[in-house]
Amino acid sequence: LLQAIPSADIELAFSGGKDSSVILKLVQMAGIKFTPIYKNTTIDPSGNIQFCKSMGCIITPPHKTFFELVQERGFPTRRARFCCEVLKEYKIKDYVIIGVRKAESTARAKRYNEPEICRVYGNKGKKKADGSNYCKQYLPIVNWTDEDVKEFIEKYDVKCNPLYYVDGKFDVTMRLGCICCPLQRIKKQQADFLANPRMVRLYI
């Protein structure tokens, strides 16, 4: 799949999560040219940007910070996650490799059924005449389970974000993401606030 991508100008969408580390290793093993890119959301966990830099990523700044969006549109909710659209879901290159897995959620299991998909950004899914909002996405681990991910990481000694290690033990069930994401359970949001008091002040 990866070696069949018809371009040498490929983005590897790197978030700092375990799946990103896995696809980075897979692409290196495939021997193709690529550029790892981290889209800065301005509300990712402490240390995440440093980890992404250590993995060779280019850090792209957002057009607007999370709190600038909040000032304009209010806080995002489970039904209105405009923050993802602005901070994460925008095109950089025509070809992009991403670490999405169906096992992550029911919604993703319904949405992603093929290892290669077309994606149109903005304009409610309408493709622009010049193709500037259109890209081809490749999902090399779309059908992998948590156990598949853990086995691969252990077998190939994949470097993962230090946030996945609790008392020195790797936790494959842990998911990294934006601090206090509305999709998180209340207990996780509370834990985020406790660990990030500066974020509490910004929210207030």
Side-chain angles (χ1 to χ4, degrees):
L1 173 67
L2 296 176
Q3 292 175 335
I5 298 176
S7 174
D9 188 24
I10 304 168
E11 171 195 353
L12 184 137
F14 197 92
S15 69
K18 60 183 181 295
D19 294 335
S20 290
S21 291
V22 166
I23 61 170
L24 177 62
K25 182 66 175 179
L26 284 172
V27 172
Q28 291 170 340
M29 293 168 70
I32 62 175
K33 293 183 178 180
F34 67 98
T35 303
I37 298 175
Y38 167 75
K39 295 175 179 177
N40 185 3
T41 66
T42 70
I43 50 171
D44 272 1
S46 177
N48 195 52
I49 290 180
Q50 289 84 347
F51 174 72
C52 292
K53 286 182 178 178
S54 75
M55 301 298 280
C57 291
I58 292 174
I59 311 298
T60 59
H63 300 296
K64 295 181 180 179
T65 70
F66 173 77
F67 285 103
E68 286 174 340
L69 291 175
V70 169
Q71 287 179 326
E72 294 178 0
R73 304 174 65 171
F75 285 101
T77 66
R78 295 178 74 90
R79 291 182 177 274
R81 290 184 292 118
F82 53 84
C83 46
C84 288
E85 178 183 342
V86 177
L87 299 174
K88 293 183 177 181
E89 298 172 354
Y90 57 90
K91 176 184 170 180
I92 294 181
K93 293 181 180 291
D94 290 336
Y95 297 88
V96 56
I97 299 167
I98 61 177
V100 166
R101 292 187 297 117
K102 292 195 291 185
E104 292 178 296
S105 70
T106 302
R108 290 188 175 186
K110 292 180 179 179
R111 180 178 179 183
Y112 299 101
N113 295 303
E114 301 293 336
E116 178 183 326
I117 62 173
C118 298
R119 177 72 186 270
V120 182
Y121 290 101
N123 296 325
K124 296 183 179 180
K126 295 180 180 179
K127 184 179 177 181
K128 293 181 181 179
D130 62 1
S132 61
N133 65 335
Y134 167 86
C135 74
K136 202 70 167 290
Q137 293 184 335
Y138 296 85
L139 325 174
I141 61 172
V142 66
N143 292 310
W144 286 30
T145 64
D146 281 353
E147 285 304 310
D148 292 331
V149 170
K150 184 178 180 181
E151 182 180 342
F152 184 86
I153 289 171
E154 292 176 348
K155 181 176 180 179
Y156 293 100
D157 193 26
V158 177
K159 180 181 178 182
C160 290
N161 198 313
L163 294 171
Y164 281 104
Y165 295 85
V166 180
D167 296 327
K169 186 176 181 180
F170 180 74
D171 183 0
V172 72
T173 65
M174 184 182 295
R175 294 187 64 182
L176 302 185
C178 298
I179 297 173
C180 306
C181 173
L183 290 180
Q184 293 175 338
R185 295 181 180 180
I186 294 298
K187 286 186 177 180
K188 180 63 170 67
Q189 291 180 343
Q190 292 172 337
D192 278 354
F193 277 131
L194 287 171
N196 299 275
R198 178 175 174 273
M199 189 64 70
V200 178
R201 292 192 293 271
L202 288 170
Y203 262 72
I204 293 172

